[in-house]
Amino acid sequence: MRILIANGMVVNADGSTRADVLVDGETIALVGRDLAAQGLRADRTIDARGRYVIPGAIDVHTHFDMPFGGTMSKDTFETGTRAAAFGGTTTIIDFANQQKGHSLREGIDAWHAKAEGNCAIDYGFHMIVADVTDAVLAEMDQVIAEGIPEFKLFTAYPGVLYSDDGAIFRAMQRATRNGALIMMHAENGIAIDVVANQNAESGHTAPWYHGASRYPVFEGEAANRVIRLAEAAGSAVYIVHLSSRDALEAVRAGRDRGTPVYAETCPQYLFLSLDDLGNGFEGAKFVCSPPLRPRDHWPELWKGLQADDLQIVATDHCPFDFHGQKEMGLGDFRRIPNGLPAVEDRLDLMHDGGVVGGRISPERWIDVCAASPARMFGLAGRKGVVAPGADADLVVYDPNRKHTISATTHHMNVDYSCYEGRTVQGGSDVVLSRGTVIVEDGRYTGTKGHGRFLKREATGAALAAQTR
Ligand code: URP
Ligand code: ZN
Ligand code: ZN
């Protein structure tokens, strides 16, 4: 099947140009001017006049079908990847979980079983490490060989996913040898639990206290600590879901010293605030970790994106229904499952708030949502770019179309939206995954099982060799 996408504005991270795109089978065959006029034949032509032609977005931080906080995240690989496609995201990287006392192998097998045959779009895995033992360190090498070359460790969630400094340092030393990339959830979970318990024991049990207990300085301290540990180990480190000015300062300082530290933020830290955690138990809808911050953190994070101290915007999509799941924390904010839905909304929120809002260029929008994720996570040349030879993961994107986000119309399998009633400018009109149209005219035209597992190369060594 040959598809010609004609007359659009091709937007890549390194520049935009008016051009036609010829898709042949699963890949992009040609990008050039007036391909139709040159007599090229195609089975189908999509007129992209007045619209962007962009690489399908890549979300490197999702949690589908994950046991967490005493329940399961609500989107499965089937519902989550379909919702992602509606939002112009054509690749996700999810976190396979190691359970304490179990092997990495068991976690990977479980995640393959959840995903295989169910995905609308291509997918990869990172590995969550909950238990750093000699055996697990040795297993890391095998996991990398299977195309899963990143490992996420936590300074948060004591007793569940938490690793102490020694464990983190050992994993980083191993990464220095085997080329893996260590991803860190950086919040001082031990100190947070002290404040959270003090608040709860004083009768402060509403969701707002989830945010109020997790001080920004606890994130800044942990970020600085893991960056310093990476310096000592000689490894790169990637800070996930960075939410605060304090953590950004630690990243910036590390990068200024020449440390290969990289970081992502998420839409919720750019568009939502601690205020959203108020309003009684409704605030439970916004409980995630790190928590939403006071709004004066927003401009700093935008500056971080502009200056490339933050390289990626991912979602940390981890949805729980308000009814029945978030309600587990009625009367005690510590029992509210942590996480928000966002996989469908990221590209539009970043277009609306970033590009239309005048904070970033269209090229930088593509960089943080597609090109950097591809470059940093072993998909360079294959995803995140509109260029000959790349997978034909493409979106015909209307930068002017407005729509209002709502749980009544979204495709994520969750009973509320954090952005209910917000009107955004920009929307994905046609979405292709490896040359197949999977979303068009607001309808899903893809098939369950079209998405393939992406075996990815390790980038840790290359990232460790780079500095600012
Ligand atoms: O609240 C969050 N972020 N839930 C998902 C788990 C994690 O820490 O990424
Ligand atoms: Zn995390
Ligand atoms: Zn996460």
Side-chain angles (χ1 to χ4, degrees):
M1 174 88 169
R2 280 156 67 99
I3 300 177
L4 183 66
I5 304 175
N7 308 314
M9 175 66 76
V10 173
V11 183
N12 273 314
D14 62 358
S16 302
T17 179
R18 197 162 298 285
D20 300 339
V21 179
L22 181 70
V23 173
D24 194 352
E26 296 200 342
T27 57
I28 298 171
L30 281 172
V31 179
R33 293 221 175 206
D34 303 322
L35 295 183
Q38 291 169 31
L40 277 173
R41 285 190 311 103
D43 302 297
R44 183 180 169 191
T45 298
I46 298 170
D47 188 3
R49 194 179 305 272
R51 297 182 284 180
Y52 293 157
V53 181
I54 62 174
I58 301 172
D59 190 344
V60 299
H61 192 149
T62 65
H63 300 282
F64 295 143
D65 210 358
M66 179 178 77
F68 196 54
T71 184
M72 299 290 289
S73 66
K74 192 76 192 306
D75 266 315
T76 60
F77 278 85
E78 181 181 354
T79 62
T81 58
R82 200 170 52 213
F86 273 102
T89 290
T90 53
T91 302
I92 58 100
I93 309 183
D94 200 82
F95 287 86
N97 280 25
Q98 179 206 17
Q99 303 291 337
K100 257 195 196 318
H102 293 259
S103 63
L104 301 184
R105 169 87 276 132
E106 288 169 86
I108 291 170
D109 289 348
W111 247 254
H112 276 302
K114 288 170 192 274
E116 206 179 324
N118 288 318
C119 292
I121 56 174
D122 289 353
Y123 62 97
F125 300 145
H126 317 285
M127 184 87 230
I128 282 180
V129 181
D131 206 0
V132 178
T133 62
D134 289 340
V136 164
L137 288 168
E139 243 193 313
M140 279 170 72
D141 302 357
Q142 175 57 30
V143 172
I144 295 167
E146 292 179 25
I148 303 171
E150 300 92 19
F151 299 85
K152 181 183 177 190
L153 288 92
F154 296 73
T155 60
Y157 310 132
V160 188
L161 296 169
Y162 175 86
S163 287
D164 67 20
D165 293 351
I168 293 165
F169 186 58
R170 291 182 79 205
M172 286 174 166
Q173 285 181 317
R174 191 80 182 198
T176 304
R177 290 208 293 277
N178 64 23
L181 179 63
I182 299 295
M183 308 172 83
M184 288 299 317
H185 178 136
E187 284 187 292
N188 188 325
I190 304 282
I192 285 168
D193 275 7
V194 170
V195 182
N197 292 339
Q198 286 167 349
N199 275 327
E201 281 153 21
S202 319
H204 298 312
T205 57
W208 188 83
Y209 287 95
H210 169 82
S213 302
R214 306 179 86 95
Y215 303 161
V217 69
F218 290 153
E219 189 185 4
E221 182 279 325
N224 179 60
R225 180 159 33 104
V226 299
I227 292 165
R228 288 300 200 173
L229 289 174
E231 282 170 18
S235 74
V237 62
Y238 178 89
I239 311 285
V240 295
H241 48 44
L242 185 147
S243 70
S244 67
R245 179 171 51 225
D246 305 59
L248 179 59
E249 277 166 12
V251 167
R252 207 181 271 138
R255 291 173 66 79
D256 286 346
R257 286 193 302 275
T259 306
V261 50
Y262 304 89
E264 75 184 17
T265 190
C266 310
Q268 54 267 33
Y269 304 122
L270 299 165
F271 300 110
L272 303 173
S273 81
L274 184 58
D275 297 344
D276 291 300
L277 283 158
N279 192 22
F281 194 70
E282 280 289 301
K285 293 176 176 174
F286 300 88
V287 164
C288 60
S289 293
L292 305 182
R293 302 299 187 186
R295 342 176 124 229
D296 59 353
H297 289 249
W298 294 350
E300 288 303 317
L301 298 190
W302 282 109
K303 271 191 224 160
L305 285 170
Q306 288 155 357
D308 202 39
D309 287 321
L310 300 172
Q311 294 79 31
I312 289 178
V313 176
T315 59
D316 193 11
H317 175 85
C318 188
F320 299 101
D321 274 344
F322 180 67
H323 296 293
Q325 291 190 298
K326 292 284 186 180
E327 281 173 349
M328 290 162 66
L330 267 167
D332 187 347
F333 67 86
R334 294 171 298 178
R335 296 187 199 279
I336 301 170
N338 288 200
L340 307 180
V343 76
E344 187 169 349
D345 300 321
R346 174 186 62 137
L347 196 63
D348 297 339
L349 286 165
M350 290 306 295
H351 181 266
D352 182 64
V355 180
V356 180
R359 297 180 178 97
I360 53 174
S361 65
E363 293 78 15
R364 183 63 179 156
W365 168 60
I366 294 305
D367 201 10
V368 299
C369 292
S372 285
R375 199 168 50 242
M376 294 184 63
F377 290 96
L379 295 169
R382 192 166 161 198
K383 307 279 190 192
V385 66
V386 183
D391 283 354
D393 287 8
L394 295 163
V395 179
V396 178
Y397 193 87
D398 185 341
N400 296 308
R401 174 162 68 81
K402 292 187 176 164
H403 66 280
T404 301
I405 298 174
S406 172
T408 59
T409 49
H410 73 198
H411 303 86
M412 298 177 285
N413 184 28
V414 60
D415 66 1
Y416 75 96
S417 169
C418 290
Y419 302 97
E420 187 68 41
R422 180 188 290 246
T423 298
V424 288
Q425 183 176 326
S428 299
D429 285 353
V430 188
V431 180
L432 288 82
S433 166
R434 276 184 286 102
T436 299
V437 174
I438 59 169
V439 173
E440 190 168 18
D441 297 330
R443 281 183 310 109
Y444 177 61
T445 56
T447 46
K448 170 177 154 174
H450 165 86
R452 286 190 199 136
F453 175 68
L454 295 163
K455 203 170 163 200
R456 297 171 300 108
E457 295 293 323
T459 56
L463 292 172
Q466 283 170 29
T467 52
R468 191 192 271 288

